[in-house]
Amino acid sequence: MRQYHQLPLVGFLLFSLIPSQLCKTCEVTEENDVHLNSLLSTMTTSKYTSGTQSANVLLSLRLVGMQNQTLKQQLSQQVRSSVEMRESNLSSGQLAMIILALGACHTPDETFIYDHHLISHLQNKFQAEIENMGTHDGNPLTNYYQVSLDVLVLCLFNGNYSVTKVADLFSPENKNYYLRGQFSVDTGAMAVLALTCMKRSLINGNIKAGEEDLKEINNHIASLVKKILSQKKENGLIGNIFSTGEAMQALFVSSNYYKESEWNCQQTLDTVLTEISQGAFNIPIAAAQILPALMGKTYLDVSKDSSCVSGSGTFNISSHVPKSVTTPNPPSNISVNYSVVITKTYSTTVTVPSGSVFLDVMEEAQKINETVFGFTVEKSSWGPYITSVQGLKANNNERTFWEILSGGKPLSQGVGNYVVHDGESLEIHWSKY
Ligand code: B12
Ligand SMILES: *[C@@H]1O[C@H](CO)[C@@H](O)[C@H](O)[C@H]1NC(C)=O
Ligand SMILES: *[C@@H]1O[C@H](CO)[C@@H](O)[C@H](O)[C@H]1NC(C)=O
Ligand SMILES: *[C@@H]1O[C@H](CO)[C@@H](O)[C@H](O)[C@H]1NC(C)=O
Ligand SMILES: *[C@@H]1O[C@H](CO)[C@@H](O)[C@H](O)[C@H]1NC(C)=O
Ligand SMILES: *[C@@H]1O[C@H](CO)[C@@H](O)[C@H](O)[C@H]1NC(C)=O
Ligand SMILES: *[C@@H]1O[C@H](CO)[C@@H](O)[C@H](O)[C@H]1NC(C)=O
Ligand SMILES: *[C@@H]1O[C@H](CO)[C@@H](O)[C@H](O)[C@H]1NC(C)=O
């Protein structure tokens, strides 16, 4: 930890190192606004139980200039009370997301951040992440998605952090960018947003650091952008459908690190719109994470003065709520094969009503044999998260978790949302990421 941003400016030389700050976006046109209605109604009609979930949604609605004051007031209230009730228990990234939401668009919520000293709490939580990495083989308390959120928010809200330390931490070779051996697009995208914020602050002279730091940050952005683009699929999605929104944000703010021919933004946008119409974003946090990019917005816009007025004015949200996707067929039962895999495999066949989700199967199995199929679950912003099976608990320090699969393939939805099919082979695996 050599340099902090209080140190003197290195100088104008820095400017020459950096490409201009163009920001290329593609966004939904007015005639496509209708596609956004289902996203907005998912966010409008949900019950909010998690502070992080409310914060994600509030941030998203504010960034796109959504007009419903009642809804924004409710969400803001929930976010603030989640701080008042359990500030000390929030993870670093949860607190960062809350600050981002409250600080977006310069509303009176901003004073809450300062009255409650949230920036200095975040500095401490960020410090604890770094200390944990030191004592636990480079593993943060949470994960690099959250560590990136921390840096992004400390940068946007002028918190104190070491530029040199962060530049070292965010080296693209760091194992924390990878989950199950795969580059995590969500994580890489959040890191690009954080590094870009730092880069801009350095150029503007808001923070001071050595020339070496700036070079390093530039190199990291370049190489992360390359990795993100390498996860681009034939249909334009980047990573999977749920990482695409954040990848788009990262690519918007880093457009001078790739050639125009390397990314067809319109194709990505069109595929996302198709997925929206098929109901892919049917939980509020998924809707909240895709929406800003569709309107050409990024989390870096949070600190801009005039960024939160939507270009196309207000949305015309249909009061019509999309019908639930469950089939109206008479209730019938289906059977699935369910296994718990540790080193040994424990299997059973479970019968559940059609339309059941993975979690229902686990509950049925638990009734059959509590010792073998007993499990614990925690509420999270994405729904229920499995924390232990047979008493064996997931542990971030060891990078262990319970992975869910169907037919041997990892699922891209959680146990609360994945709808099971007759004859399917479901598994929950004790795994390392
Ligand atoms: C880090 C991460 C993980 C880590 C979490 C542990 C850790 N070390 O932090 C690991 C690798 C273990 C993991 C596991 C899974 N994950 Co994950 N994960 C993420 C990631 C990159 C960041 C989450 C985060 O910290 N958010 C920020 C904080 C502030 O919010 P939070 O709500 O407090 O975060 C907690 C929850 O998000 C929870 N969590 C993480 N993943 C998932 C997935 C589900 C379904 C649920 C309910 C909760 C959950 O862990 C976080 C830390 O405690 C997100 C990306 C994203 N866009 O959000 C994907 C993401 C949330 N995960 C996803 C998935 C699919 C999974 C798995 C279901 C994969 C699988 N086949 O097993 C499992 C969960 C299985 C289970 N046990 O219930 C999807 C969810 C999509 C969806 N529609 O539901 C995402 C969006 C990635 C993606 N692009 O597909 N994940
Ligand atoms: C605004 O949000 C509230 C929920 O907070 C909802 O009941 C109301 O219908 C919304 N208004 C519009 C115009 O969508
Ligand atoms: C904080 O978390 C601990 C352990 O998870 C729990 O026992 C405690 O009740 C929580 N405190 C609050 C205020 O939520
Ligand atoms: C900023 O943080 C560093 C440690 O990371 C510390 O040495 C320094 O005193 C802090 N400065 C302020 C103003 O808090
Ligand atoms: C809003 O949408 C509804 C139905 O889609 C339409 O009838 C109405 O004219 C639209 N209003 C505006 C202001 O565009
Ligand atoms: C489905 O299973 C439940 C419980 O085993 C049973 O009560 C019910 O009659 C079954 N329904 C059908 C349509 O088979
Ligand atoms: C269920 O799955 C397990 C593990 O994949 C397998 O060993 C077992 O034969 C399967 N059972 C049935 C009835 O398909
Ligand atoms: C649960 O499964 C274990 C291991 O197969 C077995 O030893 C035990 O007797 C079973 N318990 C019940 C209640 O069936």
Side-chain angles (χ1 to χ4, degrees), residues 216-271:
E216 219 178 330
I217 289 171
N218 256 323
N219 290 340
H220 292 355
I221 297 175
S223 128
L224 288 170
V225 165
K226 216 177 225 144
K227 284 174 196 266
I228 291 171
L229 284 169
S230 77
Q231 297 297 315
K232 185 161 52 68
K233 307 292 181 256
E234 198 99 297
N235 61 5
L237 295 183
I238 307 166
N240 68 12
I241 180 75
F242 303 110
S243 54
T244 297
E246 289 174 345
M248 288 174 79
Q249 288 194 30
L251 294 175
F252 288 164
V253 302
S254 63
S255 57
N256 33 33
Y257 291 83
Y258 58 92
K259 293 196 223 61
E260 216 174 314
S261 61
E262 287 180 89
W263 181 40
N264 182 344
C265 179
Q266 194 59 47
Q267 186 207 11
T268 300
L269 186 64
D270 290 344
T271 303

Coordinates of all heavy atoms in Angstrom, one line a residue, residues 216-271:
E216 N -1.3 0.0 -15.4 CA -1.7 -1.3 -14.9 C -3.3 -1.4 -15.1 O -3.8 -2.4 -15.6 CB -1.3 -1.5 -13.5 CG -0.9 -2.9 -13.2 CD -0.4 -3.1 -11.7 OE1 0.1 -2.1 -11.1 OE2 -0.6 -4.2 -11.2
I217 N -3.9 -0.3 -14.6 CA -5.4 -0.3 -14.7 C -5.8 -0.4 -16.2 O -6.7 -1.2 -16.5 CB -5.9 1.0 -14.1 CG1 -5.8 0.9 -12.5 CG2 -7.4 1.2 -14.4 CD1 -6.1 2.2 -11.8
N218 N -5.2 0.4 -17.1 CA -5.5 0.3 -18.5 C -5.3 -1.1 -19.0 O -6.1 -1.7 -19.8 CB -4.6 1.2 -19.2 CG -5.3 2.5 -19.7 OD1 -6.4 2.4 -20.1 ND2 -4.6 3.6 -19.7
N219 N -4.2 -1.8 -18.6 CA -3.9 -3.1 -19.1 C -5.0 -4.1 -18.6 O -5.4 -5.0 -19.3 CB -2.5 -3.6 -18.7 CG -1.5 -2.9 -19.4 OD1 -1.7 -2.3 -20.5 ND2 -0.3 -2.9 -18.8
H220 N -5.4 -4.0 -17.4 CA -6.4 -4.8 -16.8 C -7.7 -4.7 -17.5 O -8.4 -5.7 -17.9 CB -6.7 -4.5 -15.3 CG -5.5 -4.8 -14.4 ND1 -4.4 -5.5 -14.8 CD2 -5.3 -4.6 -13.1 CE1 -3.5 -5.6 -13.8 NE2 -4.1 -5.1 -12.7
I221 N -8.1 -3.5 -17.8 CA -9.4 -3.2 -18.5 C -9.3 -3.9 -19.9 O -10.2 -4.7 -20.2 CB -9.7 -1.7 -18.7 CG1 -9.9 -1.1 -17.3 CG2 -11.0 -1.5 -19.5 CD1 -10.1 0.4 -17.3
A222 N -8.2 -3.7 -20.6 CA -8.1 -4.2 -21.9 C -8.2 -5.7 -21.9 O -8.9 -6.3 -22.7 CB -6.7 -3.8 -22.5
S223 N -7.5 -6.4 -20.9 CA -7.5 -7.8 -20.9 C -8.9 -8.4 -20.4 O -9.3 -9.4 -20.9 CB -6.3 -8.3 -20.2 OG -6.6 -9.2 -19.2
L224 N -9.5 -7.7 -19.5 CA -10.8 -8.2 -19.0 C -11.9 -8.0 -20.2 O -12.7 -8.9 -20.3 CB -11.3 -7.4 -17.8 CG -10.5 -7.7 -16.5 CD1 -10.9 -6.7 -15.4 CD2 -10.8 -9.1 -16.0
V225 N -11.8 -6.9 -20.9 CA -12.7 -6.7 -22.0 C -12.6 -7.9 -23.0 O -13.5 -8.4 -23.6 CB -12.5 -5.4 -22.7 CG1 -13.2 -5.3 -24.0 CG2 -13.0 -4.3 -21.7
K226 N -11.3 -8.3 -23.3 CA -11.0 -9.4 -24.2 C -11.7 -10.7 -23.7 O -12.3 -11.4 -24.5 CB -9.5 -9.6 -24.3 CG -9.1 -10.0 -25.7 CD -7.6 -10.1 -25.8 CE -7.1 -9.4 -27.1 NZ -5.8 -8.8 -26.9
K227 N -11.5 -10.9 -22.4 CA -12.1 -12.1 -21.8 C -13.6 -12.1 -21.9 O -14.3 -13.1 -22.2 CB -11.7 -12.3 -20.4 CG -10.2 -12.8 -20.2 CD -9.8 -12.8 -18.8 CE -8.3 -12.9 -18.6 NZ -7.8 -14.3 -18.4
I228 N -14.2 -10.9 -21.7 CA -15.7 -10.8 -21.7 C -16.2 -11.1 -23.2 O -17.1 -11.9 -23.4 CB -16.2 -9.4 -21.3 CG1 -15.9 -9.2 -19.8 CG2 -17.6 -9.2 -21.6 CD1 -16.1 -7.8 -19.2
L229 N -15.5 -10.5 -24.1 CA -15.9 -10.7 -25.5 C -15.7 -12.1 -26.0 O -16.4 -12.6 -26.8 CB -15.1 -9.8 -26.4 CG -15.6 -8.3 -26.4 CD1 -14.6 -7.4 -27.2 CD2 -17.0 -8.2 -27.0
S230 N -14.7 -12.8 -25.3 CA -14.5 -14.2 -25.7 C -15.6 -15.1 -25.2 O -15.7 -16.3 -25.7 CB -13.1 -14.7 -25.2 OG -13.3 -15.0 -23.8
Q231 N -16.5 -14.6 -24.4 CA -17.6 -15.4 -23.9 C -18.9 -15.1 -24.7 O -20.0 -15.5 -24.3 CB -17.9 -15.1 -22.4 CG -16.7 -15.5 -21.5 CD -16.5 -17.0 -21.5 OE1 -17.4 -17.8 -21.4 NE2 -15.2 -17.4 -21.6
K232 N -18.7 -14.3 -25.8 CA -19.8 -14.0 -26.6 C -20.3 -15.2 -27.4 O -19.5 -15.9 -28.0 CB -19.4 -12.9 -27.6 CG -20.6 -12.3 -28.4 CD -20.2 -11.0 -29.0 CE -18.9 -10.9 -29.8 NZ -18.9 -11.7 -31.0
K233 N -21.6 -15.5 -27.3 CA -22.2 -16.6 -28.0 C -22.7 -16.2 -29.4 O -22.8 -15.1 -29.7 CB -23.3 -17.2 -27.2 CG -23.0 -17.5 -25.8 CD -22.0 -18.6 -25.6 CE -21.7 -18.9 -24.1 NZ -20.4 -18.5 -23.7
E234 N -22.9 -17.3 -30.2 CA -23.4 -17.1 -31.6 C -24.6 -16.1 -31.7 O -24.7 -15.3 -32.5 CB -23.9 -18.5 -32.1 CG -24.0 -18.6 -33.6 CD -22.8 -19.2 -34.2 OE1 -21.6 -18.7 -34.0 OE2 -22.9 -20.3 -34.7
N235 N -25.5 -16.2 -30.7 CA -26.7 -15.4 -30.7 C -26.5 -14.0 -30.1 O -27.5 -13.2 -30.0 CB -27.9 -16.1 -30.0 CG -27.6 -16.4 -28.6 OD1 -26.5 -16.0 -28.0 ND2 -28.5 -17.1 -27.9
G236 N -25.3 -13.7 -29.7 CA -25.0 -12.4 -29.2 C -25.0 -12.3 -27.7 O -24.5 -11.3 -27.1
L237 N -25.5 -13.3 -27.0 CA -25.5 -13.2 -25.5 C -24.0 -13.3 -25.1 O -23.2 -13.9 -25.7 CB -26.3 -14.4 -24.9 CG -27.8 -14.4 -25.1 CD1 -28.5 -15.5 -24.4 CD2 -28.4 -13.0 -24.7
I238 N -23.7 -12.7 -23.9 CA -22.4 -12.7 -23.4 C -22.3 -13.4 -22.1 O -23.0 -13.0 -21.1 CB -21.8 -11.3 -23.3 CG1 -22.0 -10.5 -24.6 CG2 -20.4 -11.3 -22.9 CD1 -21.9 -9.0 -24.6
G239 N -21.6 -14.6 -22.0 CA -21.7 -15.4 -20.8 C -23.1 -16.2 -21.0 O -23.3 -16.9 -21.9
N240 N -24.0 -15.9 -20.1 CA -25.4 -16.4 -20.3 C -26.3 -15.2 -20.3 O -25.9 -14.1 -20.2 CB -25.7 -17.5 -19.3 CG -25.8 -17.0 -17.9 OD1 -25.9 -15.8 -17.6 ND2 -25.9 -17.9 -16.9
I241 N -27.6 -15.6 -20.3 CA -28.6 -14.5 -20.4 C -28.6 -13.6 -19.2 O -28.8 -12.4 -19.3 CB -30.0 -15.1 -20.6 CG1 -31.1 -14.1 -20.7 CG2 -30.4 -16.1 -19.5 CD1 -31.2 -13.4 -22.0
F242 N -28.2 -14.1 -18.0 CA -28.2 -13.3 -16.8 C -27.0 -12.5 -16.6 O -26.9 -11.6 -15.8 CB -28.5 -14.2 -15.6 CG -29.7 -15.0 -15.7 CD1 -29.7 -16.4 -15.9 CD2 -31.0 -14.3 -15.7 CE1 -30.9 -17.1 -16.1 CE2 -32.1 -15.1 -15.9 CZ -32.1 -16.4 -16.0
S243 N -25.9 -12.7 -17.3 CA -24.7 -11.9 -17.2 C -24.7 -10.8 -18.4 O -23.9 -9.9 -18.3 CB -23.4 -12.7 -17.3 OG -23.4 -13.6 -18.4
T244 N -25.5 -11.0 -19.4 CA -25.4 -10.2 -20.6 C -25.6 -8.7 -20.3 O -24.9 -7.8 -20.8 CB -26.4 -10.7 -21.6 OG1 -26.1 -12.0 -22.0 CG2 -26.4 -9.8 -22.9
G245 N -26.6 -8.3 -19.4 CA -26.8 -6.9 -19.1 C -25.6 -6.2 -18.5 O -25.2 -5.1 -18.9
E246 N -24.9 -6.9 -17.6 CA -23.7 -6.3 -17.0 C -22.6 -6.3 -17.9 O -21.8 -5.4 -17.9 CB -23.4 -7.1 -15.7 CG -24.5 -6.7 -14.7 CD -24.5 -7.4 -13.3 OE1 -23.8 -8.4 -13.2 OE2 -25.2 -6.9 -12.4
A247 N -22.5 -7.3 -18.8 CA -21.4 -7.3 -19.8 C -21.7 -6.2 -20.8 O -20.7 -5.5 -21.1 CB -21.5 -8.6 -20.6
M248 N -22.9 -5.9 -21.1 CA -23.2 -4.7 -22.0 C -22.7 -3.4 -21.3 O -22.1 -2.6 -22.0 CB -24.7 -4.7 -22.3 CG -25.2 -5.7 -23.2 SD -27.0 -5.7 -23.5 CE -27.1 -4.4 -24.7
Q249 N -23.0 -3.3 -20.1 CA -22.6 -2.1 -19.4 C -21.1 -1.9 -19.4 O -20.6 -0.8 -19.7 CB -23.0 -2.1 -17.9 CG -24.5 -1.9 -17.6 CD -24.7 -1.7 -16.1 OE1 -23.9 -1.1 -15.4 NE2 -25.9 -2.1 -15.7
A250 N -20.4 -3.0 -19.2 CA -18.9 -3.0 -19.2 C -18.4 -2.6 -20.6 O -17.5 -1.8 -20.8 CB -18.3 -4.3 -18.8
L251 N -19.1 -3.2 -21.7 CA -18.6 -2.9 -23.0 C -19.0 -1.4 -23.4 O -18.3 -0.8 -24.2 CB -19.2 -3.9 -24.0 CG -18.7 -5.3 -23.8 CD1 -19.5 -6.3 -24.7 CD2 -17.2 -5.4 -24.1
F252 N -20.1 -0.9 -22.9 CA -20.4 0.5 -23.2 C -19.3 1.4 -22.7 O -19.0 2.4 -23.4 CB -21.7 0.9 -22.4 CG -23.0 0.3 -23.0 CD1 -24.2 0.3 -22.2 CD2 -23.1 -0.3 -24.2 CE1 -25.3 -0.2 -22.7 CE2 -24.3 -0.8 -24.7 CZ -25.4 -0.8 -23.9
V253 N -18.8 1.2 -21.5 CA -17.9 2.2 -21.0 C -16.4 1.9 -21.4 O -15.5 2.7 -21.1 CB -17.9 2.2 -19.4 CG1 -19.3 2.6 -18.9 CG2 -17.4 0.9 -18.8
S254 N -16.2 0.8 -22.2 CA -14.9 0.5 -22.6 C -14.7 0.4 -24.1 O -13.9 -0.4 -24.6 CB -14.4 -0.8 -21.9 OG -15.3 -1.9 -22.4
S255 N -15.5 1.2 -24.8 CA -15.6 1.0 -26.3 C -14.3 1.2 -27.0 O -14.1 0.8 -28.1 CB -16.7 1.8 -26.8 OG -16.5 3.1 -26.5
N256 N -13.4 2.0 -26.3 CA -12.1 2.2 -27.1 C -11.1 1.1 -26.8 O -9.9 1.2 -27.1 CB -11.5 3.6 -26.8 CG -11.8 4.1 -25.5 OD1 -11.9 3.2 -24.5 ND2 -12.0 5.3 -25.3
Y257 N -11.5 0.0 -26.2 CA -10.6 -1.2 -26.0 C -10.9 -2.3 -26.9 O -10.3 -3.4 -26.8 CB -10.8 -1.7 -24.5 CG -10.2 -0.7 -23.5 CD1 -10.9 0.3 -23.0 CD2 -8.9 -0.9 -23.0 CE1 -10.4 1.2 -22.1 CE2 -8.3 0.0 -22.1 CZ -9.1 1.1 -21.7 OH -8.6 2.0 -20.7
Y258 N -11.9 -2.1 -27.8 CA -12.2 -3.2 -28.8 C -12.7 -2.5 -30.1 O -13.1 -1.4 -30.1 CB -13.3 -4.2 -28.3 CG -14.6 -3.5 -27.9 CD1 -15.6 -3.4 -28.8 CD2 -14.8 -3.0 -26.6 CE1 -16.8 -2.8 -28.5 CE2 -16.0 -2.4 -26.3 CZ -17.0 -2.3 -27.2 OH -18.2 -1.8 -26.8
K259 N -12.6 -3.3 -31.2 CA -13.0 -2.8 -32.5 C -14.5 -2.9 -32.7 O -15.1 -3.8 -32.1 CB -12.2 -3.5 -33.6 CG -10.7 -3.3 -33.6 CD -10.2 -3.8 -35.0 CE -8.9 -4.6 -34.9 NZ -8.9 -5.8 -34.1
E260 N -15.0 -2.0 -33.4 CA -16.5 -2.1 -33.7 C -16.9 -3.4 -34.2 O -18.0 -3.9 -33.9 CB -16.8 -1.0 -34.7 CG -18.2 -0.3 -34.4 CD -18.5 0.8 -35.3 OE1 -17.6 1.7 -35.5 OE2 -19.6 0.9 -35.8
S261 N -16.0 -4.1 -35.0 CA -16.4 -5.3 -35.6 C -16.4 -6.5 -34.6 O -16.9 -7.6 -34.8 CB -15.4 -5.7 -36.7 OG -14.1 -5.8 -36.1
E262 N -15.9 -6.2 -33.4 CA -15.8 -7.3 -32.4 C -17.1 -7.5 -31.6 O -17.2 -8.5 -30.9 CB -14.6 -7.0 -31.4 CG -13.3 -7.2 -32.0 CD -12.2 -6.9 -31.0 OE1 -11.8 -7.9 -30.3 OE2 -11.7 -5.8 -30.9
W263 N -17.9 -6.5 -31.6 CA -19.2 -6.7 -30.9 C -20.4 -6.0 -31.7 O -20.3 -4.8 -31.9 CB -19.1 -6.1 -29.5 CG -20.4 -6.3 -28.7 CD1 -21.2 -7.4 -28.7 CD2 -21.0 -5.3 -27.9 NE1 -22.3 -7.2 -27.9 CE2 -22.2 -5.9 -27.4 CE3 -20.7 -4.0 -27.5 CZ2 -23.1 -5.3 -26.5 CZ3 -21.6 -3.4 -26.6 CH2 -22.7 -4.0 -26.1
N264 N -21.3 -6.8 -32.0 CA -22.6 -6.3 -32.6 C -23.6 -6.1 -31.5 O -24.3 -7.0 -31.1 CB -23.0 -7.3 -33.7 CG -24.3 -6.8 -34.4 OD1 -25.0 -5.9 -33.9 ND2 -24.6 -7.5 -35.5
C265 N -23.6 -4.9 -31.0 CA -24.5 -4.5 -29.9 C -25.9 -4.8 -30.2 O -26.7 -5.3 -29.4 CB -24.2 -3.1 -29.5 SG -25.2 -2.5 -28.2
Q266 N -26.3 -4.4 -31.4 CA -27.7 -4.6 -31.8 C -28.2 -6.0 -31.8 O -29.3 -6.3 -31.4 CB -27.9 -4.0 -33.2 CG -29.4 -3.8 -33.6 CD -30.1 -2.8 -32.6 OE1 -29.6 -1.7 -32.3 NE2 -31.3 -3.2 -32.2
Q267 N -27.3 -6.9 -32.2 CA -27.6 -8.3 -32.2 C -27.9 -8.8 -30.7 O -28.8 -9.5 -30.4 CB -26.5 -9.2 -32.8 CG -26.9 -10.7 -32.9 CD -25.7 -11.6 -32.9 OE1 -24.5 -11.2 -32.6 NE2 -25.9 -12.8 -33.3
T268 N -27.0 -8.4 -29.8 CA -27.1 -8.8 -28.4 C -28.5 -8.2 -27.9 O -29.2 -8.9 -27.3 CB -26.0 -8.2 -27.6 OG1 -24.7 -8.7 -28.1 CG2 -26.1 -8.5 -26.1
L269 N -28.7 -7.0 -28.2 CA -30.0 -6.3 -27.8 C -31.2 -7.1 -28.3 O -32.1 -7.4 -27.5 CB -30.0 -4.9 -28.2 CG -31.1 -4.0 -27.8 CD1 -31.0 -3.8 -26.3 CD2 -31.0 -2.6 -28.4
D270 N -31.2 -7.4 -29.6 CA -32.3 -8.1 -30.2 C -32.6 -9.5 -29.5 O -33.7 -9.9 -29.2 CB -32.1 -8.3 -31.7 CG -32.2 -7.0 -32.4 OD1 -32.7 -6.0 -31.9 OD2 -31.7 -7.0 -33.6
T271 N -31.5 -10.2 -29.2 CA -31.6 -11.5 -28.5 C -32.2 -11.3 -27.1 O -33.1 -12.1 -26.7 CB -30.3 -12.3 -28.5 OG1 -29.8 -12.4 -29.8 CG2 -30.4 -13.6 -27.8

